[in-house]
Amino acid sequence: MKKPLIKVQTSENLHSNKSNSRRNFLKMGGLAVAGSSLLLVGCSDDDDDPMTPEPGDVFDLGSGDVGILNYAYALEQLEAAFYTNVLNGSYWMGLSDGKEKTILEDLYNHEVIHREFFKTAINAATSASNVLPELEFDFTGVDFSSRDTVLATAKILEDTGVAAYNGAGQLLASTDYLLIAGKIVSVEARHASAIANLINPGSTDFAGDSVLVDIGGSGVAYDKASSPSDIITAVGATGFIKTKFTANNLPTS
């Protein structure tokens, strides 16, 4: 059984069983992202789909800490690209509320810093051929003139980012990388809280049951943690990532 591959496929060619990843993402995030045509599929050895590239045609995230760093780098590229589009959209440009405009600009700056950190860290840790290339994105399904759409999409991405870091931290061998990941995930959680408050000011949504879980019966007071395979499937379901890559060798324990 081959592991998941992100690839582009038109909606006319979708098989019903390949829509499961999209439904799983919507279940995780609670929002349909309209207009997407990219999904992540599991490719079996007997899969005769002509769009399945041969081994070596696409970049693999790698193994060990470098693989996890590339995984985080992909997510940070996605978030930075999203907020770049937000700041170029008519919703943000037309904001008269200085606080809301500043929050979104701060989120953009943070994600760009995170993206560039991972790019530098991976280049320092391995050869250039093992560094995830710059990804291409397609946000045509997001209406960047709509406040509701932008904030709802931002909430999904931020909540997904928190769950991704929480799930990947245990897979890092280097305590130095783990320390940095902890510092980044705390910022991602602040982002998620800020977005939740913009959507529903003064509410307790920032710590609601949709983002927190119970551990060992001690109470609903812990952020969710998701494995890289679940996150990659969920992100693939958004249709935002155009560049193909595989995650065949990421650590799982």
Side-chain angles (χ1 to χ4, degrees):
M1 177 71 70
K2 297 178 184 177
K3 294 195 177 179
L5 167 71
I6 290 182
K7 67 178 184 178
V8 176
Q9 183 166 326
T10 60
S11 58
E12 290 80 6
N13 295 328
L14 297 183
H15 301 297
S16 60
N17 65 317
K18 291 184 179 180
S19 65
N20 290 335
S21 61
R22 173 181 292 278
R23 288 195 293 270
N24 289 339
F25 180 80
L26 302 184
K27 183 177 180 181
M28 288 175 63
L31 170 76
V33 181
S36 58
S37 61
L38 179 149
L39 74 163
L40 184 143
V41 298
C43 301
S44 64
D45 289 332
D46 58 355
D47 187 354
D48 58 358
D49 186 339
M51 296 192 68
T52 303
E54 293 298 321
D57 288 350
V58 295
F59 181 87
D60 186 81
L61 295 180
S63 60
D65 282 1
V66 168
I68 296 299
L69 294 179
N70 271 322
Y71 163 63
Y73 182 34
L75 297 178
E76 295 297 349
Q77 285 194 51
L78 170 61
E79 290 184 300
F82 170 74
Y83 285 111
T84 297
N85 279 269
V86 171
L87 266 60
N88 285 321
S90 59
Y91 150 60
W92 184 84
M93 290 184 175
L95 277 174
S96 58
D97 182 343
K99 180 179 179 181
E100 184 165 330
K101 196 165 191 174
T102 299
I103 287 173
L104 292 168
E105 187 172 14
D106 284 346
L107 267 57
Y108 160 79
N109 288 327
H110 295 165
E111 302 300 359
V112 169
I113 291 169
H114 293 167
R115 180 194 67 195
E116 294 306 301
F117 166 79
F118 280 110
K119 181 178 181 180
T120 300
I122 302 167
N123 272 287
T126 187
S127 63
S129 62
N130 294 325
V131 181
L132 179 72
E134 292 185 8
L135 304 177
E136 293 185 41
F137 301 97
D138 180 3
F139 293 105
T140 54
V142 179
D143 182 0
F144 288 99
S145 68
S146 166
R147 180 182 189 271
D148 289 346
T149 300
V150 168
L151 294 183
T153 306
K155 185 177 187 304
I156 288 179
L157 293 178
E158 297 295 354
D159 287 343
T160 300
V162 172
Y165 277 101
N166 286 338
Q170 63 179 326
L171 305 176
L172 288 168
S174 168
T175 55
D176 290 334
Y177 291 148
L178 180 59
L179 177 62
I180 293 295
K183 292 182 176 181
I184 292 176
V185 72
S186 64
V187 174
E188 298 291 347
R190 291 173 187 268
H191 291 179
S193 295
I195 293 295
N197 192 61
L198 289 178
I199 294 173
N200 192 6
S203 71
T204 59
D205 291 355
F206 72 95
D209 291 349
S210 64
V211 293
L212 300 183
V213 296
D214 178 16
I215 295 180
S218 59
V220 180
Y222 305 91
D223 271 325
K224 291 181 179 179
S226 298
S227 68
S229 61
D230 286 343
I231 292 294
I232 291 173
T233 299
V235 171
T238 66
F240 295 154
I241 301 178
K242 292 180 63 179
T243 307
K244 305 170 186 178
F245 65 83
T246 58
N248 292 341
N249 300 292
L250 290 182
T252 57
S253 61

